[in-house]
């Protein structure tokens, strides 16, 4: 079996790359998507937000309608995993036993949820969130849950905790650090979010790790390292994700924190690209390599691969971006704060409308915006890409228009 273009992985990269390729004139029969999932490509952000709350259905979060693939002659191999790759022969081995030959390949196998490896971790009602099936399991469990423990202090743990608490489930977050999302938030930001969560019933257990679970037929308690027990009937663990790259063994491509690609998202093997969670790419704005597991990165790299496969040759240049919704708050983050030497806040961190700006020698390297005017949202990526120097005092003053903070 052969086809001109293959996308290995049925996630967001596949959905958005297929859409972009069709818009760029892809001929029917030229694209095949191989997906280990049982459903067509869908949006992942709603899994911890509107889908989990029941506001969206599985059909509503599809990237493209079901007939899109049929109408455009796109082959879809569902519930089929990639088990091997021969980069020299340009051939994929599939779990179905077939071999799929290609001219061009986009590796987009994504990540899987990291699993707890502690006593009792296999008890029923200990859940993870990565796929639609995971979200469906959590949503089904919410109807019976009364007390939940959420393990982790990052954005997935925060989003899930907010949904559980809004469903009148007694929710406790157990995190290994002294504050939430330490990797991204400043201490002041963590304090603001912790206060907001606590006022809505979420309890925090910090500097702690779950070492085991107890339960007869299902989980009934999480046991901490100091011996404390947290009674619960449901656990959701958000402890990271692992790139799916095992099939690369013997392929000629060696995993390196994902799959290394160049500025065009092409691997060391001609005609083979990688995008999304597994792509270890050179960030041309910050001059470093990075691998990103967020929605915007998957969408942008999918569209870039489509352009390259259609004859384009522009390098991938993109400001890292992330967004999240918790309770009735929506916020966005751009850039990379590593190496910053100052943070400037605009607005009151005790409220729900403020922004944070990370500076490095007066140059904006990252921005966080929540409940602010569009001018601030628009300034953040523009300033980061252009390495804009700003006036700290003007940026801090809400009475000063945001553009007035720009230094010539």
């Amino acid at each position: 079996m052969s086809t001109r273009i293959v996308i290995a992985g049925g996630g967001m990269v596949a959905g958005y790359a297929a859409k972009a390729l069709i818009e760029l004139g892809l001929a029917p029969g030229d694209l095949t998507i191989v997906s280990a999932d049982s459903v067509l490509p869908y949006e992942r952000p709603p899994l911890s937000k509107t889908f989990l709350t029941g506001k969206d259905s599985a059909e509503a979060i599809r990237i493209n309608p079901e007939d899109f693939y049929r109408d455009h002659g796109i082959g879809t191999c569902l519930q089929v995993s990639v088990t091997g790759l021969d980069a020299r022969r340009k051939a994929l081995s599939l779990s179905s036993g077939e071999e799929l030959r290609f001219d061009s390949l986009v590796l987009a196998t994504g990540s899987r949820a990291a699993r707890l490896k502690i006593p009792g971790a296999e008890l029923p009602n200990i859940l993870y969130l990565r796929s639609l099936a995971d979200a469906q399991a959590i949503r089904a469990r919410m109807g019976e849950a009364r007390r939940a423990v959420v393990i982790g202090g990052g954005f997935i743990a925060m989003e899930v905790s907010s949904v559980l608490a809004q469903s009148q489930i007694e929710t406790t977050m157990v995190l290994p650090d002294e504050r939430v999302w330490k990797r991204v938030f400043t201490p002041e930001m963590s304090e603001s979010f912790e206060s907001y969560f606590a006022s809505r019933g979420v309890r925090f257990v910090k500097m702690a790790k779950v070492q085991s679970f107890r339960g007869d037929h299902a989980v009934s308690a999480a046991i901490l390292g100091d011996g404390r027990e947290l009674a619960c009937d449901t656990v959701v663990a958000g402890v990271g994700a692992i790139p799916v790259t095992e099939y690369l063994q013997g392929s000629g491509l060696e995993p390196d924190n994902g799959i290394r690609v160049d500025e065009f998202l092409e691997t060391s093997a001609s005609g083979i690209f990688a995008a999304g969670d597994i792509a270890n790419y050179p960030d041309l704005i910050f001059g470093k390599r990075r691998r990103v597991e967020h929605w915007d990165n998957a969408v942008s790299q999918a569209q870039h691969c489509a352009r390259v496969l259609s004859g384009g040759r522009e390098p991938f240049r993109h400001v890292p971006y992330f967004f999240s919704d918790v309770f009735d708050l929506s916020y966005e983050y751009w850039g990379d704060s590593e190496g910053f030497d100052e943070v400037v806040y605009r607005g009151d961190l005790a409220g729900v409308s403020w922004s944070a700006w990370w500076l490095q020698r007066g140059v904006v390297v990252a921005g966080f915006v929540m409940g602010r005017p569009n001018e601030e949202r628009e300034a953040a990526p523009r300033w980061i890409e252009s390495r804009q120097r700003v006036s700290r005092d003007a940026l801090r003053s809400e009475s000063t228009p945001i553009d007035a903070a720009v230094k010539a």
Side-chain angles (χ1 to χ4, degrees):
M1 185 167 63
S2 66
T3 189
R4 188 167 76 84
I5 301 172
V6 171
I7 300 176
M12 290 186 18
V13 169
Y16 279 98
K19 183 178 181 180
L21 283 165
I22 293 301
E23 292 171 351
L24 291 167
L26 182 76
D30 276 0
L31 173 63
T32 297
I33 296 171
V34 178
S35 174
D37 213 327
S38 60
V39 293
L40 293 167
Y42 51 85
E43 301 280 8
R44 291 193 182 272
L47 298 183
S48 56
K49 304 178 181 71
T50 53
F51 180 83
L52 203 56
T53 62
K55 293 179 181 177
D56 275 334
S57 65
E59 292 73 23
I61 66 173
R62 283 180 182 163
I63 296 170
N64 305 302
E66 186 173 356
D67 58 9
F68 167 86
Y69 302 92
R70 182 180 62 252
D71 293 348
H72 294 290
I74 298 171
T76 54
C77 302
L78 301 182
Q79 294 182 287
V80 176
S81 301
V82 175
T83 58
L85 166 65
D86 187 327
R88 183 184 59 80
R89 293 179 54 244
K90 292 194 170 183
L92 286 174
S93 299
L94 307 180
S95 60
S96 61
E98 296 178 280
E99 182 180 80
L100 179 58
R101 301 293 295 272
F102 56 84
D103 296 326
S104 298
L105 170 66
V106 179
L107 298 171
T109 44
S111 300
R112 61 174 177 272
R115 299 257 165 178
L116 296 168
K117 297 180 180 179
I118 56 178
E122 299 307 315
L123 283 168
N125 300 334
I126 297 177
L127 308 171
Y128 302 84
L129 180 55
R130 191 71 190 174
S131 66
L132 176 60
D134 293 337
Q136 288 171 327
I138 296 173
R139 195 163 91 170
R141 181 64 197 148
M142 284 168 57
E144 299 179 13
R146 295 295 176 266
R147 288 184 291 189
V149 166
V150 177
I151 302 174
F155 76 94
I156 287 292
M158 292 176 69
E159 290 181 351
V160 170
S161 294
S162 73
V163 172
L164 295 174
Q166 289 179 89
S167 299
Q168 309 308 309
I169 298 168
E170 183 182 308
T171 304
T172 301
M173 288 182 67
V174 178
L175 50 148
D177 299 314
E178 72 276 14
R179 56 189 179 86
V180 296
W181 215 8
K182 182 179 179 179
R183 185 175 64 82
V184 174
F185 288 168
T186 64
E188 295 83 359
M189 294 170 69
S190 293
E191 181 181 1
S192 176
F193 276 94
E194 287 173 20
S195 296
Y196 195 86
F197 273 54
S199 70
R200 283 151 181 78
V202 177
R203 176 190 174 199
F204 293 95
V205 179
K206 304 175 186 178
M207 301 295 291
K209 291 186 178 181
V210 175
Q211 69 170 14
S212 64
F213 296 103
R214 179 169 54 77
D216 294 328
H217 305 293
V219 66
S220 61
I223 316 301
L224 303 183
D226 60 7
R228 282 180 293 170
E229 294 192 12
L230 302 177
C232 58
D233 54 38
T234 304
V235 173
V236 181
V239 291
I242 302 170
V244 177
T245 57
E246 293 84 354
Y247 59 89
L248 292 178
Q249 185 174 359
S251 68
L253 299 177
E254 293 301 321
D256 178 12
N257 183 26
I259 303 173
R260 286 179 69 94
V261 295
D262 63 15
E263 66 270 31
F264 305 104
L265 304 185
E266 191 169 18
T267 69
S268 58
S270 178
I272 299 179
F273 302 81
D277 290 7
I278 62 171
N280 176 341
Y281 72 96
D283 185 330
L284 301 182
I285 294 174
F286 286 92
K288 61 191 286 187
R289 282 197 163 269
R290 70 171 74 247
R291 186 177 65 81
V292 180
E293 297 173 352
H294 296 151
W295 172 86
D296 181 67
N297 181 69
V299 174
S300 298
Q301 292 190 343
Q303 294 167 339
H304 184 85
C305 282
R307 290 192 293 270
V308 172
L309 291 170
S310 300
R313 202 57 182 166
E314 290 295 318
F316 180 71
R317 182 181 175 87
H318 186 69
V319 176
Y321 169 79
F322 170 78
F323 77 93
S324 182
D325 299 321
V326 291
F327 291 103
D328 52 358
L329 302 179
S330 295
Y331 64 83
E332 298 170 276
Y333 174 90
W334 294 264
D336 182 343
S337 64
E338 184 179 14
F340 79 95
D341 50 40
E342 184 178 5
V343 182
V344 175
Y345 300 105
R346 187 176 175 92
D348 182 6
L349 270 72
V352 297
S353 173
W354 48 273
S355 56
W357 305 85
W358 287 258
L359 310 181
Q360 187 178 55
R361 294 186 292 277
V363 171
V364 177
V365 293
F368 169 101
V369 177
M370 181 172 70
R372 303 296 297 166
N374 281 337
E375 289 79 8
E376 293 186 33
R377 294 182 60 258
E378 294 164 358
R382 185 175 71 245
W383 286 356
I384 292 165
E385 182 167 15
S386 65
R387 309 292 291 176
Q388 181 61 58
R389 188 174 298 277
V390 297
S391 162
R392 298 165 177 80
D393 292 338
L395 186 57
R396 187 176 293 111
S397 172
E398 288 193 90
S399 62
T400 304
I402 190 73
D403 286 337
V406 170
K407 282 188 175 181

